[in-house]
Amino acid sequence: MTDPMPRFARIALVSAHPGPLAGPGGPDAGGPHGYVAQLAGCLARRGHDVTVYTRRDRPDRPTLVRNESGVKIVHVPAGPPVPVPRDELLAWMAEFGAYLARLWRLNRPDVVHAHSWMSGVAALTGARDAAVPVVQTYHGLGTVEKRHRGGADTDPPERVDIETRIGREAHRSVATCADELNELTAMGVPRARISVVPCGVDTVHFAPVPLAERPPGAPYRLLAVGRLDRREGLDRALAALAGVPDAELLVAGGPAAPVLYTDPEAERLRKAASEHGVAERFRLLGRVPRSLMPHLMSTADLLLSLPRHEPSAVVAAEAMACGIPVVATAVGGQLDTVVDGVTGTLVPPADDEGYDLAATIRGLLDDPVRRSRYGAAGREHALARFSWDEVTDAISLVYAELVPAVRPQETVRGV
């Protein structure tokens, strides 16, 4: 697709919570930081002038650095130059926004794209006087977090009200799935100002890895990837494993392997595995490096993604990019990502107690032709829908609707 953005557009990405993107170590692999790093790199490679604004979290961070993709990274002095928990960052967003306002009055970007609700607070403050259009991506909404986390929600109590104001003031909101679009419209964000663009997957890195043939009699391998807490549906996977005696379940996620035996959630899951009589077929791998994930996914016969809610469905998309069929709960972004009966199977959420998850898993394991077909279709779907080129095309269309023209002959002043 031809890039719809004018060449040499000046694009500001605001990501208030620092990650490895902010330093010389390279971009974070996952979550909002990974999204910002990938999007920034893709836009810069297309010829745009891209600057990422993130909070300075160490006193030795230089004000401005440029990474290997040509992306400029500005470390904004807002709050103490030390790591601050994400839930405590709101107190420094006015200072962050005032700094952006001073910069952008001198060097106006063509469009600002905020990532996370707190980044939206700073971006709108910074863009107001300079009259810069603002795009907002939330990477998860407070209304959904409160609904599913209840008393465990640690976000500031004003989060939902602030997110609503951001959605009404921003020129465009980008939802990552239809479920998030519906949530935003219920909050009062005008439907005409919401675009749906899924999260991206590095389909070069996440690709099928050729493996040696499985030894005769080896168990089928089920894989789950994510946090170890109850919301991820791992207890449900363990209960289903009891009904699939010729399979093992591996879980990648949680703390690093050396500290798994001191982690309370890991201990809870090991106890649940014993209660279901599957302890010998259950393995906790701990945190697995991103570099090893395509190989691990390629060893699996099925990926199980059974969370109670899932806004992005990145893990399911990564597994599909590796050619692995997915069994996923029909919630959030997984409804948009997994094509039921084509790239995997969507199953009811956990509150449907009459649903036989084990029977669904057994049916797929007993049908290698169907699994092969799902895997091949998943890879094709990931390439067509979730590659970073496709996602950058879609984001560029959003920007282009807000940037009527750019004069490439203008001199771009320094930060």
Side-chain angles (χ1 to χ4, degrees):
M1 178 175 176
T2 301
D3 190 335
M5 283 288 288
R7 305 304 281 175
F8 307 115
R10 290 187 290 269
I11 301 168
L13 306 181
V14 180
S15 182
H17 192 263
L21 172 65
D28 192 354
H33 303 313
Y35 183 109
V36 172
Q38 291 280 1
L39 178 62
C42 286
L43 289 167
R45 286 189 289 274
R46 294 180 178 201
H48 301 299
D49 183 348
V50 182
T51 305
V52 176
Y53 297 87
T54 190
R55 198 187 72 86
R56 177 177 286 153
D57 64 344
R58 279 182 8 202
D60 59 344
R61 296 273 194 211
T63 299
L64 172 66
V65 295
R66 190 185 296 268
N67 70 12
E68 64 279 1
S69 298
V71 176
K72 291 177 290 186
I73 301 153
V74 174
H75 299 114
V76 175
V82 296
V84 173
R86 183 177 56 188
D87 296 340
E88 299 174 16
L89 277 177
L90 182 60
W92 309 110
M93 290 302 99
E95 185 177 348
F96 195 120
Y99 184 90
L100 295 178
R102 290 193 296 272
L103 288 183
W104 294 344
R105 278 195 292 268
L106 298 173
N107 185 21
R108 181 187 184 277
D110 297 300
V111 64
V112 172
H113 189 171
H115 295 269
S116 86
W117 67 279
M118 280 186 273
S119 299
V121 173
L124 284 168
T125 299
R128 193 167 291 121
D129 288 348
V132 184
V134 175
V135 177
Q136 173 69 39
T137 298
Y138 289 93
H139 299 285
L141 288 167
T143 53
V144 179
E145 290 293 318
K146 287 182 182 297
R147 188 178 309 134
H148 291 280
R149 296 183 68 182
D153 183 24
T154 60
D155 284 317
E158 60 267 47
R159 174 179 174 177
V160 173
D161 289 340
I162 293 174
E163 286 181 335
T164 301
R165 177 178 64 80
I166 291 170
R168 292 172 179 173
E169 290 186 18
H171 295 73
R172 186 66 56 87
S173 292
V174 174
T176 56
C177 63
D179 190 64
E180 188 175 29
L181 180 150
N182 293 334
E183 199 76 30
L184 286 168
T185 56
M187 291 162 55
V189 180
R191 172 63 185 87
R193 298 214 307 267
I194 306 172
S195 299
V196 178
V197 180
C199 292
V201 171
D202 184 345
T203 52
V204 174
H205 180 68
F206 285 92
V209 176
L211 301 169
E213 196 166 319
R214 188 193 307 271
Y220 291 108
R221 176 167 290 181
L222 310 176
L223 176 66
V225 179
R227 299 183 301 271
L228 303 186
D229 66 53
R230 294 178 184 273
R231 293 177 297 156
E232 293 297 303
L234 295 175
D235 298 82
R236 187 184 185 194
L238 286 170
L241 186 63
V244 192
D246 53 349
E248 62 179 0
L249 173 63
L250 275 59
V251 177
V259 296
L260 270 177
Y261 283 90
T262 63
D263 182 77
E265 287 298 312
E267 179 57 31
R268 180 184 64 77
L269 289 169
R270 282 191 290 267
K271 182 178 179 181
S274 295
E275 291 172 350
H276 288 295
V278 298
E280 298 301 314
R281 297 186 287 121
F282 173 61
R283 278 196 285 159
L284 290 169
L285 304 179
R287 186 181 303 119
V288 174
R290 180 176 182 271
S291 60
L292 301 180
M293 283 304 302
H295 183 275
L296 177 61
M297 286 182 167
S298 295
T299 70
D301 295 288
L302 293 175
L303 178 93
L304 303 185
S305 184
L306 305 172
R308 297 178 184 177
H309 78 101
E310 176 51 61
S312 67
V314 168
V315 170
E318 289 172 346
M320 287 161 47
C322 291
I324 305 304
V326 177
V327 175
T329 40
V331 296
Q334 297 192 147
L335 285 162
D336 294 8
T337 301
V338 180
V339 184
D340 190 34
V342 177
T343 70
T345 299
L346 290 172
V347 301
D351 52 8
D352 187 341
E353 296 179 359
Y355 186 81
D356 191 344
L357 178 61
T360 295
I361 294 171
R362 286 197 310 271
L364 282 166
L365 294 178
D366 290 342
D367 192 343
V369 174
R370 181 156 58 119
R371 280 190 285 116
S372 178
R373 187 172 70 247
Y374 282 5
R379 174 67 181 170
E380 291 179 6
H381 188 55
L383 289 170
R385 176 90 171 125
F386 306 116
S387 74
W388 272 105
D389 273 343
E390 293 296 322
V391 171
T392 304
D393 284 346
I395 292 291
S396 295
L397 281 171
V398 174
Y399 295 167
E401 292 177 6
L402 302 174
V403 182
V406 174
R407 295 187 295 276
Q409 71 272 19
E410 288 183 340
T411 300
V412 178
R413 285 171 282 183
V415 175

